[in-house]
Amino acid sequence: MSATGSTPDLSRCSLNTATVKHATLSEAVDAAASAGLGAVGLWRHQVQEHGAEKAARIVSDAGLRVSSLCRGGFLTAADEAGIAAALDDNKRAIEETAGVGTRELVFVVGGLPALSVPGQGPRPDAGPGDRDVAAARARVADRLAELAPFAAEHDVRIVLEALHPMFAADRAVISTLGQALDLAAPFAPETVGVVVDTYHVWWDPQLRSSIARAGAEGRIAGYQVCDWNLPLAADPLNSRGHVGDGYVDFPTISRWVAETGYTGDVETEIFNEEIWAADPRDTARTVGERYARHVLPHL
Amino acid sequence: MSATGSTPDLSRCSLNTATVKHATLSEAVDAAASAGLGAVGLWRHQVQEHGAEKAARIVSDAGLRVSSLCRGGFLTAADEAGIAAALDDNKRAIEETAGVGTRELVFVVGGLPALSVPGQGPRPDAGPGDRDVAAARARVADRLAELAPFAAEHDVRIVLEALHPMFAADRAVISTLGQALDLAAPFAPETVGVVVDTYHVWWDPQLRSSIARAGAEGRIAGYQVCDWNLPLAADPLNSRGHVGDGYVDFPTISRWVAETGYTGDVETEIFNEEIWAADPRDTARTVGERYARHVLPHL
């Protein structure tokens, strides 16, 4: 239920620090605290810069929680060296997650082996097998089986993020929430979960049933909100908008999430050049206002 | 089976005239015929310009068939005037289809009522209901029920096209082949079918089963091929590439289509500024070559 007084309850509203990309960790935390938010979502480079213990203290000293850590993943390599590097890097990410005081490690699982660099065309030597998206998805399943025991040992949850299908070639071969749940199915829900990110899944005809399934399975590890803006930015990765500026039906999707009994944080994660250029405190205040107007009444 | 000699069999290879957008109908037909293709896919403005009978003769005089007509649809209006206009326009499209000598009328069903203009942000006065994608999809179902008897009377098939989810807000709220099949389910397969367009559906984790289902239900009315190129064009509508230039796994998808027993045309439909600037005969020759290399061996 939403607060009915003049001061909305922003305790579940979290600022993912990518939304204020150019701020230092301290500046981002200050912005979130000044806006009255309850938590921040961190990125690995911040943990690596300060060390997990100090990064955790910067957050807790401001009276905030860490809602999640971004990000592990990139599991689709087909060659031995690539597989070993992915396992190694993700084990470090799991350790960083445990150290910084959250259980939730968001995974973006990676694109096709045909990829040259994200957002660009295929390698000139890419063959049909390098475009085999079903095979890439099978490798994700294999890597998860190798990483899940390590995550469980560290009491960390691998949180699979379905990315919008326009990123299937270059960023994530998990394209729907239902597919993320299928990949999570072999593992305990406290070890492999999913995040519902409105930007990536709002269009999905099966969204309602997939959210209900995720809730019933105990796998909703996070709810991320930002809007689908048009026109797409030159780099479509950065097309996201503040909640309420685009086409996403936040009342409906928030209600579906709430109906599962989800009581965790609601993270705002926006990649947008204009928003990155704004003052972090202004951005955090807008995040809180939009959450209060479009999301909170439906939770 | 593919031809094994030096001259590939291009009889099922069709040039959608949008691929040579700046050519007249006669020039497009000439280009397709000169490349040895078997058919062309037409657009309504060409039929309207020449009249259905003459447009049909331009095609048949060159020894070609009409594989489909683009396009009807845009069924998501919520107001009475918008609904009446959509029904009226689609009845004309059905008549044009019958007149020009194909049974297959491709439907792009339209986006959200919140839309201002395609590719742009929402109307300033758009409310939450205008962003309700489930309600927009329900209106598509209602309009199909009203149009299907008219299509059946004219022996025309309404061919539902799932568009890539990046077009869900502004062009088509049908985002997967499975969803298109669910919408087609109440109707006879000779009255409402689906088209498999690689650009729009290649990423779908359920693609194999949806293609098999479409085949089993007798609803595959067309197979359209073009590639998923990166980076996306400034107008992402025009990001498509020649078969083989991007990330789509044509051998696999073509095999899935062939396994259903589909023996119809394979249309190449590419929206791409660079390709539009090329000579139509060169473009048609490339279409035939790419079809012969990447698609035909797997049919």
Side-chain angles (χ1 to χ4, degrees):
Chain A
M1 286 296 107
S2 64
T4 51
S6 58
T7 307
D9 177 3
L10 303 182
S11 60
R12 292 172 65 190
C13 182
S14 174
L15 177 71
N16 185 292
T17 57
T19 308
V20 292
K21 182 181 180 178
H22 302 310
T24 65
L25 176 57
S26 295
E27 289 166 350
V29 163
D30 163 77
S34 74
L37 312 188
V40 286
L42 301 186
W43 283 66
R44 289 184 64 196
H45 67 86
Q46 297 164 321
V47 177
Q48 289 162 0
E49 185 186 344
H50 297 282
E53 200 182 332
K54 184 171 172 207
R57 202 165 55 243
I58 291 173
V59 176
S60 62
D61 281 355
L64 301 178
R65 289 169 290 100
V66 179
S67 49
S68 74
L69 182 66
C70 285
R71 61 191 184 185
F74 298 96
L75 303 173
T76 53
D79 61 302
E80 265 185 53
I83 292 170
L87 291 176
D88 185 59
D89 187 56
N90 280 295
K91 286 178 180 176
R92 286 206 311 276
I94 288 166
E95 291 166 344
E96 289 163 13
T97 307
V100 82
T102 175
R103 293 196 71 247
E104 316 296 356
L105 173 61
V106 176
F107 263 41
V108 170
V109 299
L112 296 175
L115 185 67
S116 53
V117 291
Q120 301 298 318
R123 293 182 286 108
D125 65 333
D130 298 313
R131 294 174 170 85
D132 184 340
V133 65
R137 286 163 174 160
R139 287 193 297 277
V140 171
D142 292 343
R143 298 297 87 72
L144 287 176
E146 290 160 336
L147 287 167
F150 191 85
E153 277 167 35
H154 288 75
D155 195 25
V156 163
R157 173 149 64 180
I158 294 170
V159 180
L160 299 178
E161 180 160 13
L163 257 59
H164 193 284
M166 77 179 166
F167 301 119
D170 61 336
R171 294 187 187 272
V173 293
I174 300 184
S175 304
T176 65
L177 186 57
Q179 185 200 357
L181 288 167
D182 289 344
L183 282 160
F187 310 101
E190 58 273 17
T191 304
V192 183
V194 298
V195 56
V196 178
D197 184 318
T198 55
Y199 185 77
H200 294 304
V201 302
W202 71 270
W203 58 271
D204 184 353
Q206 299 175 325
L207 184 58
R208 182 177 198 166
S209 61
S210 291
I211 288 174
R213 176 186 163 197
E217 294 180 0
R219 294 194 195 270
I220 303 185
Y223 178 37
Q224 290 187 333
V225 292
C226 75
D227 218 330
W228 175 265
N229 279 12
L230 291 177
L232 292 178
D235 179 349
L237 195 66
N238 302 336
S239 288
R240 303 171 178 216
H242 273 299
V243 165
D245 285 349
Y247 288 97
V248 172
D249 180 358
F250 289 100
T252 299
I253 299 176
S254 298
R255 200 165 55 242
W256 291 344
V257 171
E259 282 169 359
T260 70
Y262 178 74
T263 57
D265 291 313
V266 181
E267 243 183 53
T268 296
E269 183 190 49
I270 308 175
F271 303 163
N272 179 309
E273 298 274 358
E274 253 180 72
I275 294 172
W276 288 336
D279 180 88
R281 284 189 164 212
D282 291 342
T283 297
R285 196 172 54 239
T286 303
V287 163
E289 287 167 0
R290 300 302 181 89
Y291 168 83
R293 191 186 316 163
H294 299 287
V295 179
L296 180 59
H298 311 284
L299 287 180
Chain B
M1 287 293 106
S2 66
T4 50
S6 55
T7 307
D9 177 2
L10 303 182
S11 60
R12 292 173 65 189
C13 182
S14 174
L15 178 71
N16 185 292
T17 57
T19 309
V20 291
K21 182 181 179 177
H22 303 309
T24 65
L25 177 57
S26 295
E27 289 166 350
V29 164
D30 163 76
S34 74
L37 313 188
V40 286
L42 301 186
W43 283 66
R44 290 184 64 196
H45 67 87
Q46 297 164 322
V47 176
Q48 289 163 359
E49 185 187 345
H50 297 282
E53 199 183 332
K54 185 171 171 205
R57 202 166 54 243
I58 292 172
V59 176
S60 63
D61 281 355
L64 301 179
R65 289 170 290 102
V66 179
S67 48
S68 73
L69 183 65
C70 286
R71 63 191 183 184
F74 298 96
L75 303 173
T76 54
D79 61 301
E80 266 185 54
I83 291 171
L87 292 175
D88 185 59
D89 187 55
N90 280 295
K91 286 179 179 173
R92 287 207 311 275
I94 288 166
E95 291 167 345
E96 289 164 14
T97 308
V100 81
T102 174
R103 292 196 72 247
E104 316 296 357
L105 173 61
V106 175
F107 262 43
V108 170
V109 298
L112 297 174
L115 184 67
S116 54
V117 291
Q120 300 299 318
R123 292 182 287 108
D125 65 334
D130 298 315
R131 293 173 170 86
D132 185 339
V133 65
R137 286 163 174 161
R139 287 194 297 278
V140 171
D142 292 343
R143 298 296 88 72
L144 287 177
E146 290 160 337
L147 286 167
F150 191 85
E153 277 167 34
H154 288 76
D155 196 26
V156 163
R157 173 148 65 178
I158 293 169
V159 180
L160 300 178
E161 179 160 14
L163 257 58
H164 193 283
M166 77 178 166
F167 301 119
D170 61 337
R171 294 187 187 273
V173 293
I174 300 185
S175 305
T176 65
L177 186 57
Q179 186 200 356
L181 289 167
D182 289 344
L183 281 161
F187 310 102
E190 58 273 17
T191 303
V192 182
V194 298
V195 55
V196 178
D197 183 319
T198 56
Y199 185 77
H200 295 303
V201 302
W202 71 269
W203 58 272
D204 184 353
Q206 299 175 325
L207 184 58
R208 183 179 196 164
S209 60
S210 291
I211 288 174
R213 175 184 164 199
E217 294 180 0
R219 294 195 196 270
I220 303 184
Y223 178 38
Q224 290 188 332
V225 292
C226 75
D227 218 329
W228 175 264
N229 279 11
L230 291 178
L232 292 178
D235 179 349
L237 195 67
N238 303 336
S239 287
R240 304 170 178 216
H242 273 299
V243 166
D245 286 349
Y247 287 98
V248 172
D249 180 357
F250 289 99
T252 299
I253 299 176
S254 298
R255 200 166 53 242
W256 290 346
V257 171
E259 282 169 358
T260 69
Y262 179 73
T263 56
D265 290 314
V266 182
E267 245 185 51
T268 295
E269 183 189 48
I270 309 176
F271 303 164
N272 180 308
E273 297 276 358
E274 252 180 72
I275 294 172
W276 287 337
D279 181 270
R281 285 188 164 212
D282 291 342
T283 297
R285 197 173 52 240
T286 303
V287 164
E289 287 168 1
R290 299 302 180 90
Y291 168 83
R293 192 184 318 164
H294 298 286
V295 178
L296 181 59
H298 312 283
L299 288 179

